[in-house]
Amino acid sequence: TFYVEKATPSLLLTNLTSDVDGIKSFVSQALVSIVAAVFSIIGASILLLSINWKLGIAVLMLIPIIAYVFYTAFSKIGGLFGKGQGIIDRLNGVIGGTIIGAALIRVVNAKHTEIDKFIGANSAARDNGLAITALFASLIPTVMFVANAATIVILLLGGHFVIGGTMTLGEFAAFNSYITILIFPIFIIGFMSGIIGRAQASFKRVKEIFDLEPVPEEGTSDQIISGNIEVKDVSLVLGEKTVLDTIDFTITPGSKNAIIGPTAAGKTQLLYLLTGLVKPEKGEILYDGISIQAFKKTSFHNQVGFVFQDSVMFNLTIRENIAFSKEVSSEALTKAIEAAELAPFVASLPNGLETHVSERGTSLSGGQKQRIMLARALALNPKVLILDDFTARVDAQTEARIIANIDRLYPGITLISVTQKIAPIMSYDHIIVLMEGELIASGTHEYLMKHAPEYVQIFDSQQSTMQLEKDHEK
């Protein structure tokens, strides 16, 4: 599983903004100053030793004390800044969730809960910032104390050497001047310690991304897919949980297939495997006898259309949202719009296909967004069409018309649909029943009604619900 599959949007946002900015500040500001300070310290040390090596060694013995103070401070600063970046992740998550769900928060009157979440994250950020400030507040005085101690050493020992005649007054004055050249760069490093600590923590977080295993190279096959799919003993583990366990089935070209099961059965994860978005822990998936990993990514995704459960809308026109790929022709676009039952909706818009969709598609209904996503998938004339719970936002009549349009306009297409409703899929060629990551049964509706008690239980439950709804309408 790759890092981006585990990372939250708030974590990635912090990586791209705060972490990168911390590293940039170190490179642009602190790095040059630190390099200059190191050279100044080395040069000043040589000058001090050349004037009077005894007094020079006495002064330079204070440098390890300062180095130890810096080492101790940096070992704590790194952890505090790392914790601080984690708190920023949390803050970004709270703020992002609040902005996205602003309307819902108002409706359910949950603003106080969201305020408490923000105050909690903000208080944690404040406490962490105060801890960092307290550490710096002890670091700078310690460096100043050591620097003043160096001055006292010079006055005491230097004065003794001058009185004893082993050091001239001019050498003493020069030594006293050079000590400033030695101490000032140390102060510079002390003042830069905040930037250094933040960059240290940020670099560690960003390095996690650069140290990831490279994405496996794509295959070389660009074979045209007929729609024959074989899933052989496939298992998928996310974290410590087995999401899918030894799944095995075959789909024939041009057939209509459904995957049904309760919530958390592993249906969506199975679709991710079928589209190559996730790799199985074991087993293999074959398209026309060729491993899914052997296909060129571009060739494969041009032939396998996928409509996600969550609508993904871009801040573009409806035309650009549908014809998202440059390979979509005007004829393919028109056919996809017709198949997705979007033509009446587009015709009702003042600017038609050139109507701009608001960010995240908030100006559209759930069904409209879902049909735009369907048109986007169909615009590439795929050989296989995969629908993830498409019926959740589309009424039964519209769904039936869409399926009929697909049959008419895309003959021979292989359809795979995840659903929780049995009624729309009773005529499908192949129905797969998943429960808790296991394939319980598969076959036609008639076969499952005779041989799969779990399927019968789901069917009876839905029939009872439909009857109650009809009685309520009466």
Side-chain angles (χ1 to χ4, degrees):
T1 304
F2 299 116
Y3 174 83
V4 292
E5 294 171 9
K6 300 178 181 179
T8 61
S10 56
L11 173 60
L12 293 175
L13 178 62
T14 308
N15 286 148
L16 290 170
T17 54
S18 182
D19 288 328
V20 172
D21 186 62
I23 297 172
K24 182 182 70 175
S25 297
F26 172 77
V27 173
S28 62
Q29 300 176 27
L31 185 60
V32 175
S33 299
I34 291 171
V35 171
V38 170
F39 277 102
S40 296
I41 291 171
I42 294 172
S45 300
I46 294 172
L47 289 172
L48 293 176
L49 292 173
S50 65
I51 294 173
N52 189 304
W53 67 270
K54 292 181 181 180
L55 185 55
I57 290 176
V59 172
L60 293 178
M61 284 181 65
L62 298 173
I63 299 296
I65 299 176
I66 297 176
Y68 176 76
V69 171
F70 278 139
Y71 174 79
T72 304
F74 286 148
S75 62
K76 295 180 180 180
I77 287 173
L80 288 172
F81 272 109
K83 181 181 177 181
Q85 295 301 91
I87 295 173
I88 293 175
D89 294 342
R90 181 180 163 195
L91 267 174
N92 285 335
V94 171
I95 294 170
T98 302
I99 292 173
I100 294 173
L104 178 62
I105 292 169
R106 291 195 198 98
V107 169
V108 300
N109 195 25
K111 62 179 181 180
H112 295 294
T113 303
E114 294 303 311
I115 290 172
D116 290 340
K117 288 181 184 177
F118 177 80
I119 291 176
N122 196 53
S123 298
R126 177 202 61 203
D127 295 340
N128 191 73
L130 289 174
I132 293 173
T133 303
L135 190 58
F136 285 142
S138 62
L139 175 63
I140 301 302
T142 302
V143 174
M144 292 183 66
F145 174 80
V146 176
N148 291 329
T151 303
I152 293 174
V153 169
I154 292 172
L155 292 174
L156 292 176
L157 287 180
H160 174 73
F161 290 149
V162 170
I163 293 171
T166 57
M167 187 177 186
T168 67
L169 191 60
E171 289 175 336
F172 178 79
F175 204 99
N176 200 40
S177 298
Y178 290 144
I179 196 66
T180 304
I181 301 176
L182 177 68
I183 297 300
F184 183 73
I186 296 176
F187 277 112
I188 294 297
I189 296 175
F191 284 119
M192 291 292 176
S193 57
I195 298 176
I196 298 171
R198 181 186 173 191
Q200 178 187 2
S202 295
F203 179 75
K204 183 179 179 181
R205 287 161 55 91
V206 173
K207 189 174 181 292
E208 292 178 2
I209 301 176
F210 286 104
D211 288 345
L212 294 173
E213 295 181 5
V215 178
E217 294 184 5
E218 64 177 21
T220 57
S221 176
D222 54 5
Q223 178 175 319
I224 302 300
I225 296 172
S226 69
N228 184 75
I229 305 172
E230 298 174 77
V231 177
K232 295 187 174 181
D233 299 324
V234 165
S235 295
L236 178 64
V237 178
L238 295 180
E240 298 180 355
K241 181 181 179 182
T242 301
V243 180
L244 295 170
D245 187 14
T246 319
I247 304 298
D248 192 289
F249 62 86
T250 300
I251 290 175
T252 57
S255 60
K256 289 189 180 66
N257 307 269
I259 302 173
I260 192 168
T263 303
K267 303 185 296 296
T268 297
Q269 285 74 22
L270 178 56
L271 294 193
Y272 285 167
L273 289 170
L274 291 175
T275 53
L277 295 176
V278 177
K279 290 178 61 179
E281 297 294 323
K282 65 176 183 178
E284 60 179 345
I285 299 172
L286 307 176
Y287 279 77
D288 291 352
I290 301 174
S291 171
I292 191 173
Q293 305 301 327
F295 283 92
K296 289 182 180 178
K297 294 292 187 292
T298 303
S299 174
F300 178 80
H301 290 296
N302 281 345
Q303 299 184 74
V304 178
F306 186 19
V307 179
F308 291 87
Q309 184 176 3
D310 297 323
S311 302
V312 180
M313 292 289 108
F314 299 94
N315 194 15
L316 303 168
T317 65
I318 291 179
R319 179 190 297 277
E320 291 168 325
N321 265 284
I322 297 174
F324 201 65
S325 171
K326 295 180 180 179
E327 300 178 14
V328 175
S329 64
S330 58
E331 293 79 8
L333 177 64
T334 302
K335 186 168 71 168
I337 290 172
E338 181 182 353
E341 288 287 310
L342 276 172
F345 166 66
V346 172
S348 67
L349 299 173
N351 298 320
L353 286 174
E354 306 308 321
T355 302
H356 210 272
V357 175
S358 59
E359 189 172 357
R360 299 181 183 271
T362 53
S363 59
L364 303 173
S365 68
Q368 289 165 348
K369 289 188 284 188
Q370 200 75 356
R371 282 181 285 153
I372 288 174
M373 288 190 62
L374 173 61
R376 181 189 299 164
L378 291 172
L380 291 172
N381 291 306
K383 304 297 181 182
V384 178
L385 179 62
I386 300 177
L387 307 177
D388 187 5
D389 205 10
F390 182 75
T391 59
R393 295 178 178 86
V394 179
D395 61 83
Q397 292 78 12
T398 303
E399 181 190 4
R401 292 197 302 270
I402 288 173
I403 297 300
N405 291 340
I406 293 174
D407 286 341
R408 175 172 54 86
L409 297 171
Y410 300 89
I413 193 171
T414 302
L415 178 64
I416 305 172
S417 178
V418 158
T419 182
Q420 295 188 19
K421 301 176 183 177
I422 291 180
I425 62 169
M426 290 171 59
S427 62
Y428 277 29
D429 304 301
H430 189 203
I431 300 173
I432 298 167
V433 183
L434 284 182
M435 285 192 176
E436 297 183 354
E438 296 184 1
L439 196 156
I440 303 299
S442 65
T444 62
H445 172 74
E446 291 75 16
Y447 175 85
L448 293 173
M449 289 298 291
K450 294 178 181 178
H451 301 92
E454 296 86 356
Y455 182 81
V456 174
Q457 184 178 3
I458 296 172
F459 179 79
D460 291 341
S461 174
Q462 292 184 5
Q463 289 296 105
S464 299
T465 302
M466 290 174 61
Q467 186 60 46
L468 287 173
E469 290 176 351
K470 290 181 179 177
D471 294 341
H472 179 72
E473 291 175 358
K474 292 179 180 179

